[in-house]
Amino acid sequence: MLAIGLLAGCGNNDGSNGSSKEIKELKVSFVPSKDPDEIITATEPLKELLKKQLAEEGYTVDSVKIDVGTSYEAVGEALSAGTTDIGLIPGGTYALYDDGADVILTATRKALSIDSDNAKDWNDNKPTTGLDTEQASYYRSLVLAGPSPKGKELAAKVNNGEELTWDDLNSANWAVMSTSSSAGYIYPTLWLKDKYGKSLTDLSKITTSDSYGSSFARLATEQADIIVVYADARRDNESKWQSDYKGKGTIWEDTNVIGVTSPIYNDTISVSKKSKIMNEDLKKALQDAFIAIAGTEEGKKVIAIYSHEGYKVAQSSDYDDEREAQEIIKSMK
């Protein structure tokens, strides 16, 4: 568990008047998605950046304390207990601990040139590119057919505007990721459930890959007819498709999208419902502060530790699919 910090606030921190509101200590917790020492070092400048930006919002913060939880769950539990004020946590962690946490921001990443829930649109407009001028607060998972005869058969149906049947999909060889992967397992399961009332576990021929690279290699060599990947995975693996994975054509020529999942919302900045200093006024101030920090060069370096590029105001309902996904995970245990 995270160490319990002093969270008492004093002064006019209820937003009842326009005078400066004082916070003795603001505690920010990060999940250990990378080496904790690396996170602590990279986020050190956030202390002064938060103090400065919150001052712009009328808050005087004496101290900002940053720590890294021993696990994702530890940060969720700290938010629920009120032993930390702010947690930078994935959507799945937020969905598990939303009884004690409020989501205030969603991280953004570079938007893609295609954002359609219609598979054919992805094929008609490939290759997919990144948009320098737009940010997205979510990404999608794609059900991708490869160059095998079965893969081509399924892609042809989709590109002709035909609906795939469960028998079509069940006749193919699939490669998926581990059950904890949002893009590589959980959201494709949601897609199958919504369209066919089935799960990945119902498929007759399915293999678990240890990485997306392994899935692409299986697809390129026709060991797999279908793989499931995050939406810009082909961009990330474009140069390896022929050199490493032994694809015959380019990755765009050899692959086609046959399914698109619902949006997978990015990491959150969430706040504790039990924090002694948290209120609606401070939530708004924190939203404005983090958005402003992400717009500075120094701030961009800090949030890059989590591959964040910016932030957008979030609402709880953005993560309803994540809640459903968590129920699926529970049912599989």
Side-chain angles (χ1 to χ4, degrees):
M1 283 291 295
L2 298 163
I4 297 176
L6 177 65
L7 297 174
C10 66
N12 297 320
N13 62 359
D14 60 359
S16 58
N17 60 51
S19 61
S20 178
K21 292 150 279 193
E22 184 179 358
I23 295 173
K24 288 191 176 296
E25 184 176 74
L26 183 68
K27 189 172 180 184
V28 184
S29 297
F30 289 82
V31 294
S33 59
K34 294 189 176 180
D35 179 80
D37 290 338
E38 185 182 350
I39 294 172
I40 290 292
T41 300
T43 59
E44 177 66 25
L46 182 61
K47 296 177 181 178
E48 292 304 316
L49 289 171
L50 263 178
K51 285 184 184 180
K52 178 182 175 183
Q53 288 299 331
L54 285 173
E56 298 284 332
E57 304 296 326
Y59 283 87
T60 300
V61 181
D62 293 345
S63 171
V64 175
K65 183 178 180 181
I66 292 175
D67 62 19
V68 180
T70 55
S71 67
Y72 288 35
E73 291 76 16
V75 180
E77 288 169 11
L79 287 167
S80 294
T83 55
T84 194
D85 303 304
I86 303 166
L88 280 82
I89 57 176
T93 307
Y94 162 67
L96 285 172
Y97 292 94
D98 61 358
D99 283 349
D102 275 328
V103 61
I104 61 170
L105 294 166
T106 298
T108 62
R109 54 198 289 162
K110 189 177 290 188
L112 296 179
S113 56
I114 308 169
D115 180 34
S116 172
D117 56 9
N118 182 1
K120 186 175 184 296
D121 291 340
W122 293 77
N123 302 329
D124 290 344
N125 296 285
K126 53 186 182 182
T128 309
T129 59
L131 302 177
D132 293 328
T133 56
E134 290 185 35
Q135 294 280 302
S137 55
Y138 61 84
Y139 62 105
R140 296 179 187 270
S141 173
L142 302 179
V143 183
L144 207 60
S148 68
K150 175 59 70 172
K152 288 179 179 177
E153 173 194 323
L154 300 180
K157 287 191 72 171
V158 168
N159 291 334
N160 285 334
E162 299 175 49
E163 287 287 332
L164 295 177
T165 66
W166 169 251
D167 287 340
D168 287 331
L169 297 175
N170 197 36
S171 65
N173 287 301
W174 288 61
V176 302
M177 300 296 288
S178 70
T179 56
S180 63
S181 171
S182 291
Y185 196 96
I186 297 168
Y187 276 75
T189 286
L190 284 176
W191 178 76
L192 285 175
K193 182 184 174 191
D194 290 342
K195 292 187 88 61
Y196 306 99
K198 301 286 187 177
S199 168
L200 288 177
T201 55
D202 295 315
L203 290 165
S204 299
K205 296 177 283 189
I206 188 168
T207 300
T208 302
S209 297
D210 61 2
S211 68
Y212 285 113
S214 295
S215 282
F216 274 116
R218 287 191 168 105
L219 198 67
T221 56
E222 303 183 16
Q223 296 174 55
D225 305 307
I226 298 173
I227 64 172
V228 288
V229 296
Y230 58 97
D232 47 357
R234 285 184 293 179
R235 297 176 65 228
D236 290 346
N237 290 274
E238 184 173 6
S239 62
K240 296 180 179 178
W241 179 254
Q242 291 170 305
S243 62
D244 292 19
Y245 308 145
K246 310 306 179 188
K248 293 183 176 68
T250 70
I251 199 169
W252 305 104
E253 292 166 341
D254 286 350
T255 66
N256 282 278
V257 177
I258 61 170
V260 185
T261 73
S262 56
I264 307 169
Y265 276 80
N266 292 337
D267 292 346
T268 78
I269 295 181
S270 295
V271 296
S272 171
K273 292 180 180 179
K274 298 290 182 66
S275 165
K276 294 177 182 178
I277 63 172
M278 200 57 60
N279 55 39
E280 293 304 315
D281 186 74
L282 180 54
K283 287 181 195 176
K284 177 65 167 61
L286 287 167
Q287 286 173 328
D288 292 343
F290 273 103
I291 289 171
I293 287 169
T296 67
E297 286 306 311
E298 191 174 12
K300 287 183 188 299
K301 291 178 183 176
V302 171
I303 65 176
I305 188 69
Y306 279 156
S307 301
H308 296 175
E309 295 190 18
Y311 298 102
K312 286 184 178 179
V313 174
Q315 52 191 6
S316 176
S317 59
D318 291 341
Y319 293 89
D320 283 348
D321 279 346
E322 196 64 57
R323 294 181 178 93
E324 185 180 353
Q326 294 299 327
E327 290 302 314
I328 287 176
I329 294 171
K330 289 178 188 175
S331 71
M332 292 190 301
K333 290 180 179 178

